[in-house]
Amino acid sequence: MINAFRADIPRLGRVLFRVDAGKVAGLSFGHLERCAVLSRQLLRAGAAATTFLMRPLPDGLARARALGLEVALPELWLKALADGDVLIVDLPFPPEDQVIRAARQAGAYLALLDDTGRDLLPCDLVLNSSVLAEPSMYPRAKKTLLGPAYCILEERYAAARHHGSGDAGLPVVLLTLGGSDPTGLTVRVLRALGALGGAAPACRLQVVLGPGFGEASAVEQAREKLSLASQLHVSPADMLPLFTGCDLAVCAGGRTLYELRALGTPTLALASAPHEARQIDAFLRLGLLQCGVTSWSEDAFLHKLRLMLSRQTRRPTGEDT
């Protein structure tokens, strides 16, 4: 992916990212996470420096600094844009007018990272790794890089493969539903399993809470009612061992779905928003996903979970996923 992205940039000097993250409506942490990956790749490819232009949302800034990123307020840097700079916009909403104006006046190269399918701004390049992406979505872009082949992943994901827990006992189910889980799917899943008591599907749970998760107490209360063994991971520094070492992952319909697909991890996807439902539906139609629930239903979730776990118990040891 990085080679295709880099090849279209005439000069790779300073790279500025206009991105936000935080626990606010319509925003998550996925945009920041993928920009952090792209930043590291561009620095290795020869970029002079990378800076993240972010609004002062406390949780987002804290996550950016935890990732070791240089952060500045947008208004402090837009005036300093120069010819040869690269400005990458990754927002779920149209960027500020002054962002586009400053980039055009400076002659900066303007790229958009998108997964909404909306023509948010005129730009030199659009990268949308969604299975739903089509060229007609971006009539104002000079060039497009579209589809899962352009998903921004760390290089080590290309070499890693799912291997499972290797445990002949109970299968390990990883529950990871986004950086902030704004619709509370984590609690819903745990409550659904807890309500079954001893009739819950036999497994061991690994529960991940992302950096913006705000209902930790509700999760703990739900875990107390489980008859299943469970372990809690709060904002883990490295998700790759969890992705490759579980027997089944339960995730939302965003970036994690693509990461798990790249690793070959058996996955049950739950939509947390309408755009995720469309994405999960496309994955199912294309045969890229084993099971998905496009609208939350406790009965549908439990049925699909039992189905996926039955497949895991039938798989011979060492069979490729």
Coordinates of all heavy atoms in Angstrom, one line a residue, residues 181-260:
D181 N -16.4 2.3 21.5 CA -17.6 1.6 21.6 C -18.8 2.5 22.0 O -19.4 2.3 23.0 CB -17.5 0.4 22.6 CG -18.7 -0.5 22.6 OD1 -19.5 -0.4 21.6 OD2 -18.8 -1.3 23.5
P182 N -19.1 3.5 21.1 CA -20.1 4.5 21.5 C -21.5 3.9 21.7 O -22.4 4.5 22.4 CB -20.1 5.5 20.4 CG -19.5 4.7 19.2 CD -18.6 3.7 19.8
T183 N -21.9 2.8 21.1 CA -23.2 2.2 21.2 C -23.3 1.1 22.3 O -24.4 0.5 22.4 CB -23.7 1.6 19.9 OG1 -22.8 0.6 19.4 CG2 -23.7 2.7 18.8
G184 N -22.2 0.9 23.0 CA -22.3 0.0 24.2 C -22.4 -1.5 23.8 O -23.0 -2.3 24.6
L185 N -21.9 -1.9 22.7 CA -22.0 -3.3 22.3 C -21.3 -4.2 23.2 O -21.7 -5.4 23.4 CB -21.5 -3.5 20.8 CG -22.4 -3.1 19.7 CD1 -21.7 -3.3 18.4 CD2 -23.6 -4.0 19.7
T186 N -20.2 -3.8 23.8 CA -19.4 -4.7 24.7 C -20.3 -5.1 25.9 O -20.4 -6.2 26.2 CB -18.2 -3.9 25.2 OG1 -17.4 -3.5 24.1 CG2 -17.4 -4.9 26.1
V187 N -21.0 -4.1 26.5 CA -21.9 -4.4 27.6 C -23.0 -5.3 27.2 O -23.4 -6.2 27.9 CB -22.3 -3.1 28.3 CG1 -23.4 -3.4 29.3 CG2 -21.2 -2.3 28.9
R188 N -23.6 -5.0 26.0 CA -24.7 -5.8 25.5 C -24.3 -7.2 25.3 O -25.1 -8.2 25.7 CB -25.2 -5.2 24.2 CG -25.9 -3.8 24.3 CD -26.5 -3.5 23.0 NE -26.6 -2.1 22.7 CZ -27.2 -1.5 21.7 NH1 -27.8 -2.3 20.7 NH2 -27.3 -0.2 21.5
V189 N -23.2 -7.5 24.8 CA -22.7 -8.8 24.5 C -22.5 -9.5 25.9 O -22.9 -10.7 26.1 CB -21.4 -8.8 23.7 CG1 -20.7 -10.2 23.8 CG2 -21.7 -8.4 22.3
L190 N -21.8 -8.9 26.8 CA -21.6 -9.5 28.1 C -22.9 -9.8 28.9 O -23.0 -10.8 29.5 CB -20.7 -8.6 28.9 CG -19.2 -8.4 28.4 CD1 -18.5 -7.4 29.3 CD2 -18.5 -9.8 28.4
R191 N -23.8 -8.9 28.8 CA -25.1 -9.1 29.5 C -25.9 -10.2 28.8 O -26.5 -11.0 29.5 CB -25.9 -7.8 29.4 CG -25.4 -6.7 30.4 CD -26.2 -5.4 30.3 NE -25.7 -4.4 31.2 CZ -26.1 -3.1 31.2 NH1 -26.9 -2.7 30.2 NH2 -25.6 -2.3 32.1
A192 N -25.8 -10.3 27.5 CA -26.5 -11.4 26.8 C -25.9 -12.8 27.3 O -26.7 -13.7 27.5 CB -26.3 -11.3 25.3
L193 N -24.6 -12.8 27.4 CA -24.0 -14.1 27.8 C -24.2 -14.3 29.3 O -24.5 -15.5 29.7 CB -22.4 -14.0 27.6 CG -22.0 -14.0 26.1 CD1 -20.5 -13.7 26.0 CD2 -22.4 -15.4 25.4
G194 N -24.2 -13.3 30.1 CA -24.5 -13.4 31.5 C -25.9 -13.9 31.8 O -26.1 -14.7 32.8
A195 N -26.8 -13.5 31.0 CA -28.2 -13.9 31.3 C -28.4 -15.4 31.1 O -29.4 -15.9 31.6 CB -29.1 -13.1 30.4
L196 N -27.6 -16.0 30.3 CA -27.7 -17.4 30.0 C -27.2 -18.3 31.2 O -27.5 -19.5 31.2 CB -27.0 -17.8 28.8 CG -27.5 -17.2 27.5 CD1 -26.6 -17.6 26.3 CD2 -28.9 -17.7 27.2
G197 N -26.4 -17.7 32.1 CA -25.9 -18.5 33.2 C -25.0 -19.7 32.7 O -24.2 -19.5 31.8
G198 N -25.3 -20.8 33.2 CA -24.5 -22.0 32.9 C -24.9 -22.5 31.5 O -24.2 -23.4 31.0
A199 N -25.9 -21.9 30.8 CA -26.2 -22.4 29.5 C -25.5 -21.5 28.4 O -25.7 -21.7 27.2 CB -27.7 -22.2 29.2
A200 N -24.6 -20.6 28.8 CA -23.8 -19.8 27.9 C -22.9 -20.7 27.1 O -22.4 -21.8 27.6 CB -23.0 -18.8 28.6
P201 N -22.6 -20.4 25.8 CA -21.7 -21.2 25.0 C -20.4 -21.3 25.7 O -19.8 -20.4 26.3 CB -21.6 -20.4 23.7 CG -22.8 -19.5 23.7 CD -23.2 -19.2 25.1
A202 N -19.8 -22.5 25.7 CA -18.6 -22.8 26.4 C -17.4 -22.1 25.7 O -17.1 -22.5 24.6 CB -18.4 -24.3 26.5
C203 N -16.7 -21.2 26.4 CA -15.6 -20.5 25.9 C -14.9 -19.8 27.0 O -15.4 -19.6 28.1 CB -16.0 -19.6 24.7 SG -17.1 -18.2 25.2
R204 N -13.7 -19.2 26.7 CA -13.0 -18.3 27.5 C -13.0 -16.9 26.9 O -12.6 -16.8 25.7 CB -11.6 -18.8 27.9 CG -11.6 -20.0 28.7 CD -10.2 -20.5 29.0 NE -9.6 -21.0 27.7 CZ -8.3 -20.8 27.4 NH1 -7.5 -20.1 28.1 NH2 -7.8 -21.3 26.3
L205 N -13.4 -15.9 27.6 CA -13.4 -14.5 27.0 C -12.2 -13.7 27.2 O -11.7 -13.7 28.3 CB -14.7 -13.8 27.5 CG -16.1 -14.2 27.1 CD1 -17.1 -13.4 27.8 CD2 -16.2 -14.1 25.6
Q206 N -11.7 -13.0 26.2 CA -10.7 -12.0 26.3 C -11.4 -10.7 25.9 O -11.8 -10.5 24.7 CB -9.6 -12.2 25.4 CG -8.8 -13.5 25.6 CD -7.8 -13.4 26.8 OE1 -7.5 -12.3 27.2 NE2 -7.3 -14.5 27.3
V207 N -11.6 -9.8 26.8 CA -12.4 -8.6 26.6 C -11.5 -7.4 26.5 O -10.7 -7.1 27.4 CB -13.5 -8.3 27.7 CG1 -14.3 -7.1 27.4 CG2 -14.3 -9.6 27.9
V208 N -11.6 -6.7 25.4 CA -10.7 -5.5 25.1 C -11.5 -4.2 25.2 O -12.6 -4.1 24.6 CB -10.0 -5.6 23.8 CG1 -9.3 -4.3 23.5 CG2 -9.1 -6.8 23.7
L209 N -11.0 -3.3 26.0 CA -11.6 -1.9 26.1 C -10.6 -1.0 25.5 O -9.4 -0.9 25.9 CB -11.9 -1.5 27.5 CG -12.8 -2.4 28.4 CD1 -13.1 -1.8 29.7 CD2 -14.1 -2.7 27.6
G210 N -11.0 -0.2 24.5 CA -10.2 0.7 23.7 C -9.8 1.9 24.5 O -10.4 2.2 25.6
P211 N -9.0 2.8 24.0 CA -8.5 4.0 24.7 C -9.6 5.0 25.1 O -9.4 5.8 26.0 CB -7.5 4.6 23.8 CG -7.8 4.1 22.4 CD -8.4 2.7 22.7
G212 N -10.7 5.0 24.3 CA -11.8 5.9 24.6 C -13.0 5.4 25.3 O -14.0 6.0 25.4
F213 N -12.9 4.1 25.8 CA -14.0 3.5 26.4 C -14.4 4.2 27.7 O -13.6 4.5 28.5 CB -13.7 2.0 26.7 CG -14.9 1.2 26.9 CD1 -15.5 0.5 25.8 CD2 -15.4 1.0 28.2 CE1 -16.7 -0.2 26.0 CE2 -16.6 0.2 28.4 CZ -17.2 -0.4 27.3
G214 N -15.7 4.4 27.9 CA -16.2 5.2 29.0 C -17.1 4.4 30.0 O -17.7 5.1 30.9
E215 N -17.3 3.1 29.8 CA -18.2 2.4 30.6 C -17.6 1.2 31.3 O -18.1 0.1 31.4 CB -19.4 1.9 29.8 CG -20.3 3.0 29.2 CD -21.5 2.4 28.6 OE1 -22.2 1.5 29.2 OE2 -21.8 2.7 27.4
A216 N -16.4 1.4 31.8 CA -15.6 0.4 32.4 C -16.4 -0.3 33.6 O -16.4 -1.5 33.8 CB -14.3 0.9 32.9
S217 N -17.1 0.6 34.4 CA -17.8 0.0 35.5 C -19.0 -0.9 35.1 O -19.2 -1.9 35.7 CB -18.4 1.2 36.4 OG -19.2 2.0 35.7
A218 N -19.6 -0.5 34.0 CA -20.7 -1.3 33.5 C -20.2 -2.7 33.0 O -20.8 -3.7 33.1 CB -21.5 -0.6 32.4
V219 N -19.0 -2.6 32.4 CA -18.4 -3.9 31.9 C -18.0 -4.8 33.1 O -18.3 -6.0 33.0 CB -17.1 -3.5 31.1 CG1 -16.3 -4.8 30.9 CG2 -17.5 -2.9 29.8
E220 N -17.5 -4.2 34.1 CA -17.1 -5.0 35.3 C -18.4 -5.6 35.9 O -18.4 -6.8 36.3 CB -16.4 -4.1 36.3 CG -15.0 -3.8 36.0 CD -14.0 -5.0 35.9 OE1 -14.5 -6.1 36.2 OE2 -12.9 -4.8 35.6
Q221 N -19.5 -4.9 36.0 CA -20.7 -5.4 36.5 C -21.2 -6.6 35.7 O -21.7 -7.6 36.2 CB -21.7 -4.3 36.6 CG -21.4 -3.2 37.7 CD -22.4 -2.1 37.6 OE1 -23.4 -2.1 36.9 NE2 -22.1 -1.0 38.3
A222 N -21.1 -6.4 34.4 CA -21.6 -7.5 33.5 C -20.7 -8.7 33.6 O -21.2 -9.8 33.5 CB -21.6 -7.0 32.0
R223 N -19.4 -8.5 33.7 CA -18.4 -9.6 33.9 C -18.7 -10.4 35.1 O -18.6 -11.7 35.2 CB -17.0 -9.1 33.9 CG -16.5 -8.7 32.5 CD -15.0 -8.2 32.6 NE -14.2 -9.3 33.0 CZ -13.1 -9.2 33.8 NH1 -12.8 -8.0 34.3 NH2 -12.3 -10.2 34.1
E224 N -19.1 -9.7 36.2 CA -19.4 -10.4 37.5 C -20.5 -11.5 37.3 O -20.6 -12.4 38.1 CB -19.7 -9.4 38.5 CG -18.5 -8.6 39.0 CD -19.0 -7.5 39.9 OE1 -20.2 -7.4 40.3 OE2 -18.1 -6.7 40.4
K225 N -21.4 -11.3 36.4 CA -22.6 -12.1 36.2 C -22.3 -13.3 35.2 O -23.2 -14.1 35.0 CB -23.8 -11.3 35.8 CG -24.2 -10.3 36.8 CD -25.4 -9.5 36.3 CE -25.8 -8.5 37.4 NZ -27.0 -7.6 37.0
L226 N -21.1 -13.3 34.7 CA -20.8 -14.4 33.7 C -20.5 -15.7 34.4 O -19.8 -15.7 35.5 CB -19.5 -14.0 32.9 CG -19.7 -12.8 31.9 CD1 -18.3 -12.5 31.3 CD2 -20.6 -13.2 30.8
S227 N -20.9 -16.8 33.8 CA -20.5 -18.1 34.3 C -19.2 -18.5 33.6 O -18.6 -19.5 33.9 CB -21.6 -19.1 34.0 OG -21.8 -19.2 32.6
L228 N -18.8 -17.7 32.6 CA -17.6 -18.0 31.8 C -16.3 -17.3 32.4 O -16.4 -16.2 33.0 CB -17.7 -17.5 30.4 CG -19.0 -17.9 29.6 CD1 -19.1 -17.1 28.3 CD2 -19.0 -19.4 29.3
A229 N -15.2 -17.9 32.2 CA -13.9 -17.2 32.6 C -13.7 -16.1 31.6 O -13.9 -16.2 30.4 CB -12.8 -18.2 32.6
S230 N -13.2 -14.9 32.2 CA -13.0 -13.8 31.3 C -11.8 -13.0 31.8 O -11.5 -13.0 33.0 CB -14.2 -12.9 31.2 OG -14.4 -12.2 32.5
Q231 N -11.1 -12.4 30.9 CA -9.9 -11.6 31.2 C -10.1 -10.2 30.5 O -10.5 -10.1 29.4 CB -8.6 -12.2 30.7 CG -7.3 -11.5 31.1 CD -6.1 -12.2 30.6 OE1 -6.1 -13.3 30.1 NE2 -4.9 -11.6 30.9
L232 N -9.8 -9.1 31.2 CA -10.0 -7.8 30.7 C -8.6 -7.2 30.3 O -7.6 -7.3 31.0 CB -10.6 -6.9 31.8 CG -11.1 -5.5 31.4 CD1 -12.2 -5.6 30.4 CD2 -11.5 -4.7 32.6
H233 N -8.6 -6.6 29.1 CA -7.5 -5.9 28.6 C -7.9 -4.4 28.3 O -8.7 -4.2 27.5 CB -7.0 -6.5 27.3 CG -6.6 -7.9 27.3 ND1 -5.4 -8.4 27.7 CD2 -7.4 -9.0 27.2 CE1 -5.4 -9.7 27.7 NE2 -6.6 -10.1 27.4
V234 N -7.3 -3.5 29.0 CA -7.6 -2.1 28.9 C -6.6 -1.4 28.0 O -5.4 -1.3 28.4 CB -7.8 -1.4 30.2 CG1 -8.1 0.1 30.1 CG2 -8.8 -2.1 31.1
S235 N -7.0 -0.9 26.9 CA -6.1 -0.2 25.9 C -4.8 -0.9 25.7 O -3.7 -0.3 26.0 CB -5.9 1.2 26.4 OG -5.3 2.0 25.4
P236 N -4.8 -2.1 25.3 CA -3.5 -2.9 25.2 C -2.6 -2.2 24.2 O -3.0 -1.7 23.1 CB -3.9 -4.3 24.7 CG -5.3 -4.1 24.1 CD -5.9 -3.0 24.9
A237 N -1.3 -2.3 24.4 CA -0.3 -1.6 23.6 C -0.2 -2.3 22.2 O 0.1 -1.7 21.2 CB 1.0 -1.6 24.3
D238 N -0.5 -3.6 22.2 CA -0.3 -4.4 21.0 C -1.5 -5.4 20.8 O -1.6 -6.3 21.6 CB 1.0 -5.1 21.0 CG 1.4 -5.8 19.7 OD1 0.6 -5.7 18.7 OD2 2.4 -6.5 19.6
M239 N -2.3 -5.2 19.8 CA -3.4 -6.1 19.6 C -3.1 -7.3 18.8 O -3.8 -8.3 18.8 CB -4.5 -5.3 18.8 CG -5.2 -4.3 19.7 SD -6.2 -5.0 21.0 CE -7.4 -6.0 20.1
L240 N -1.9 -7.3 18.1 CA -1.6 -8.4 17.2 C -1.6 -9.8 17.9 O -2.2 -10.7 17.3 CB -0.3 -8.1 16.4 CG 0.1 -9.2 15.4 CD1 -1.0 -9.3 14.3 CD2 1.4 -8.8 14.7
P241 N -1.0 -9.9 19.0 CA -1.0 -11.2 19.7 C -2.4 -11.7 20.1 O -2.7 -12.9 20.0 CB -0.1 -11.0 20.9 CG 0.7 -9.9 20.6 CD -0.1 -9.0 19.8
L242 N -3.3 -10.7 20.4 CA -4.7 -11.1 20.7 C -5.4 -11.5 19.5 O -6.2 -12.5 19.5 CB -5.4 -9.9 21.4 CG -4.8 -9.5 22.8 CD1 -5.5 -8.2 23.2 CD2 -5.1 -10.6 23.8
F243 N -5.2 -10.8 18.4 CA -5.8 -11.2 17.1 C -5.4 -12.6 16.6 O -6.3 -13.3 16.1 CB -5.5 -10.2 16.0 CG -6.1 -8.8 16.2 CD1 -5.6 -7.7 15.5 CD2 -7.2 -8.6 17.0 CE1 -6.2 -6.5 15.6 CE2 -7.8 -7.4 17.1 CZ -7.3 -6.3 16.4
T244 N -4.1 -12.9 16.7 CA -3.7 -14.1 16.2 C -3.8 -15.3 17.1 O -3.9 -16.5 16.7 CB -2.2 -14.1 15.8 OG1 -1.4 -13.7 16.9 CG2 -2.0 -13.0 14.7
G245 N -3.9 -15.0 18.4 CA -4.0 -16.1 19.4 C -5.3 -16.5 19.9 O -5.5 -17.4 20.8
C246 N -6.4 -15.8 19.4 CA -7.7 -16.2 19.8 C -8.2 -17.3 18.8 O -7.7 -17.5 17.8 CB -8.7 -15.0 19.8 SG -9.0 -14.3 18.2
D247 N -9.3 -17.9 19.2 CA -9.9 -18.9 18.3 C -11.1 -18.3 17.5 O -11.4 -18.8 16.4 CB -10.4 -20.1 19.1 CG -9.3 -20.8 19.8 OD1 -8.3 -21.3 19.1 OD2 -9.3 -20.9 21.0
L248 N -11.6 -17.2 18.1 CA -12.7 -16.5 17.4 C -12.7 -15.0 17.9 O -12.5 -14.8 19.1 CB -14.1 -17.1 17.7 CG -15.3 -16.3 17.3 CD1 -15.4 -16.3 15.8 CD2 -16.6 -17.0 17.9
A249 N -12.8 -14.1 17.0 CA -12.9 -12.7 17.3 C -14.3 -12.2 17.1 O -14.9 -12.5 16.0 CB -11.9 -11.9 16.5
V250 N -14.8 -11.4 18.0 CA -16.1 -10.7 17.9 C -15.7 -9.2 17.8 O -15.2 -8.6 18.7 CB -17.0 -10.9 19.0 CG1 -18.3 -10.1 18.8 CG2 -17.3 -12.4 19.1
C251 N -16.0 -8.6 16.6 CA -15.5 -7.2 16.4 C -16.7 -6.4 15.8 O -17.7 -6.9 15.4 CB -14.3 -7.1 15.5 SG -14.7 -7.4 13.8
A252 N -16.5 -5.1 15.8 CA -17.4 -4.2 15.1 C -17.1 -4.2 13.6 O -16.2 -4.9 13.1 CB -17.4 -2.8 15.7
G253 N -17.7 -3.3 12.8 CA -17.6 -3.3 11.4 C -16.6 -2.2 10.9 O -16.8 -1.7 9.7
G254 N -15.6 -1.9 11.6 CA -14.6 -0.8 11.2 C -13.3 -1.4 10.8 O -13.2 -2.5 10.3
R255 N -12.2 -0.7 11.2 CA -10.9 -1.0 10.9 C -10.5 -2.4 11.3 O -9.8 -3.2 10.6 CB -9.9 0.0 11.4 CG -8.5 -0.3 11.3 CD -7.6 0.8 11.9 NE -6.2 0.4 11.9 CZ -5.4 0.5 10.8 NH1 -5.9 0.9 9.6 NH2 -4.1 0.2 10.9
T256 N -10.9 -2.8 12.5 CA -10.5 -4.1 13.1 C -11.0 -5.3 12.2 O -10.3 -6.3 12.0 CB -11.1 -4.3 14.5 OG1 -10.6 -3.3 15.3 CG2 -10.7 -5.6 15.1
L257 N -12.1 -5.1 11.5 CA -12.6 -6.1 10.6 C -11.6 -6.4 9.5 O -11.4 -7.6 9.1 CB -13.9 -5.7 10.0 CG -14.7 -6.6 9.1 CD1 -14.9 -8.0 9.8 CD2 -16.0 -6.0 8.6
Y258 N -11.0 -5.4 9.0 CA -10.0 -5.5 7.9 C -8.7 -6.2 8.5 O -8.0 -7.0 7.8 CB -9.7 -4.2 7.3 CG -10.8 -3.7 6.4 CD1 -11.9 -3.0 7.0 CD2 -10.8 -3.9 5.0 CE1 -12.9 -2.5 6.2 CE2 -11.8 -3.4 4.3 CZ -12.9 -2.7 4.8 OH -13.9 -2.3 4.1
E259 N -8.3 -5.8 9.7 CA -7.1 -6.4 10.3 C -7.3 -7.9 10.5 O -6.4 -8.7 10.2 CB -6.8 -5.7 11.6 CG -6.4 -4.2 11.4 CD -6.2 -3.5 12.7 OE1 -7.0 -3.8 13.7 OE2 -5.4 -2.6 12.8
L260 N -8.4 -8.3 11.0 CA -8.7 -9.7 11.2 C -8.8 -10.4 9.9 O -8.3 -11.6 9.9 CB -10.0 -9.8 12.0 CG -10.0 -9.3 13.5 CD1 -11.4 -9.2 14.1 CD2 -9.1 -10.1 14.4

